[in-house]
Structures are given as structure tokens and as C-alpha cells.
């Protein structure tokens, strides 16, 4: 995010790099939260049942 802000501040235009950064942040703040929750549940179910073998 900081790189996108610095890039916009220096160039004063919205280029592809800044646009992609904005899209990633927008995804992370909306749909991405649901995806992370699903991934967390899957990982917990997958790895919490296994016991460590020494």
C-alpha cells in the first residue's frame, strides 16, 4: 500500500502499478476476508487432528 501511495505521489498519475495495488487492497477488505476465513477453517481441520511423530 505504501509503495502505491509513494508512486502516486511522485508521478501524480494513476498507472497500472497503483491500480493493481488499489485492487488488491479492495479485494482484501471485501471478498478476501471470507476467503481467509474459509482457508483458516480448512487449515485448522486439516492440521489440528494430526499428532506430531518423533
Amino acid at each position: 500500500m505504501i509503495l502505491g501511495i509513494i508512486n502516486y505521489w511522485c508521478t501524480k498519475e494513476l498507472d497500472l502499478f497503483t491500480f493493481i495495488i488499489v485492487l488488491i487492497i479492495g479485494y482484501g477488505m471485501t471478498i478476501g476476508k471470507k476467503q481467509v476465513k474459509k482457508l483458516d477453517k480448512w487449515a485448522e481441520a486439516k492440521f489440528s487432528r494430526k499428532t506430531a511423530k518423533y
Side-chain angles (χ1 to χ4, degrees):
M1 179 171 170
I2 294 174
L3 286 176
I5 293 170
I6 292 171
N7 184 42
Y8 179 75
W9 187 347
C10 291
T11 61
K12 301 294 187 215
E13 62 182 32
L14 184 66
D15 59 355
L16 182 61
F17 175 76
T18 309
F19 183 70
I20 291 173
I21 296 295
V22 169
L23 283 178
I24 291 171
I25 292 170
Y27 172 77
M29 294 176 74
T30 57
I31 301 169
K33 288 182 180 182
K34 292 178 185 176
Q35 297 295 323
V36 170
K37 287 180 183 179
K38 285 182 183 178
L39 181 63
D40 188 42
K41 286 181 183 180
W42 173 83
E44 184 178 348
K46 178 83 173 171
F47 298 112
S48 67
R49 294 181 186 156
K50 293 183 178 181
T51 58
K53 295 180 181 179
Y54 294 112

